[in-house]
Structure formats: structure tokens, C-alpha cells
Amino acid sequence: MTRDLSLEELERDRWAAPSGGETRLMATARELRRKPIGSLTVEDMRLLIRQDVGLAHLLPLAVEVLRANPLAEGDMYEGDLLAAVLTRSAVVWSEFPELGREVRLIVSELTDVPPALKREVKGFLAQ
């Protein structure tokens, strides 16, 4: 994986600034798509994954982080990156079955699931 390229470069898709107003969330996502993926923080990945942006490139990076620290935290709460990953749709996991298996393994090894993650873990494992 080429970590020095941005999502815009990897996907060959540049998001133009909208002609009208833009929410802060979308402006942030657009800006993050311009950063090299290797320089994205846990919070950056959490935000983009929650918006289903660049999943083919970001899910492998997120899983790498989660392998080292399953409860890695962005700006929201302990385990918020895991929550973002777990709540992707079943369609996403059908496209990335190996990553899905790896996430299942990570979740199965959690000895103490924080209350904020119990619903997400249960929903993911039910897929």
C-alpha cells in the first residue's frame, strides 16, 4: 500500500468545492482526502470511515491500528475507531471478507468490551 498518496490520488477522484454552502463535516472530509493516507490520524480515519469515504484504502489501515490497539480512540471516546469499522454495512464486509474475518478476530479477543461498544460489537457479530 502506498501511504504517501492521498485518497484523491489513489482513487483518481478530486472532489471539487461545492458551488453552494458546505457542511463542516463535508469540508473536513474533502480536506482529509487530500492528505497522504499514511499521515491520517485515528480521528481522521474514524471520520472518513463513518462517512464511507475511501474504505478500500482506509479499512486496511484501520485494522492495522486496531490490531495494535483495539480501543484506539479519536476525538469521541475509547474505541471510536473500532465502532466506525464495526458499523459499516454487510455489503462492505462482503467486498472485504478477509478484513471482516480479521475484525472478528480482534473483537473476539476483547476481554472487556466498553459499554459504548457493546451494541456495535453485537451487531457486527450478528452479520
Side-chain angles (χ1 to χ4, degrees):
M1 179 179 305
T2 308
R3 295 170 190 255
D4 59 340
L5 296 178
S6 68
L7 286 173
E8 277 191 350
E9 294 167 319
L10 290 165
E11 295 178 344
R12 295 187 174 112
D13 180 25
R14 184 174 302 265
W15 290 3
S19 58
E22 178 176 45
T23 66
R24 185 170 55 171
L25 175 62
M26 289 313 298
T28 301
R30 189 168 41 82
E31 287 303 314
L32 291 175
R33 284 180 41 76
R34 294 181 179 151
K35 284 178 70 173
I37 62 171
S39 69
L40 294 173
T41 66
V42 168
E43 175 59 17
D44 296 340
M45 286 188 283
R46 182 203 65 77
L47 185 145
L48 291 167
I49 290 169
R50 280 275 187 199
Q51 300 306 308
D52 289 322
V53 173
L55 294 180
H57 305 285
L58 296 181
L59 284 176
L61 288 178
V63 168
E64 188 177 300
V65 169
L66 294 171
R67 259 189 244 119
N69 179 7
L71 299 178
E73 138 179 29
D75 291 348
M76 303 291 285
Y77 54 89
E78 181 182 43
D80 58 5
L81 178 61
L82 180 59
V85 168
L86 293 176
T87 55
R88 296 312 85 212
S89 74
V91 172
V92 169
W93 296 115
S94 70
E95 293 174 20
F96 305 105
E98 287 182 30
L99 285 174
R101 283 190 290 279
E102 199 160 347
V103 172
R104 281 184 184 282
L105 181 61
I106 290 167
V107 169
S108 71
E109 292 175 349
L110 280 176
T111 55
D112 189 25
V113 178
L117 289 176
K118 288 186 186 238
R119 186 180 69 210
E120 287 88 349
V121 167
K122 186 176 179 179
F124 179 78
L125 292 175
Q127 291 183 15

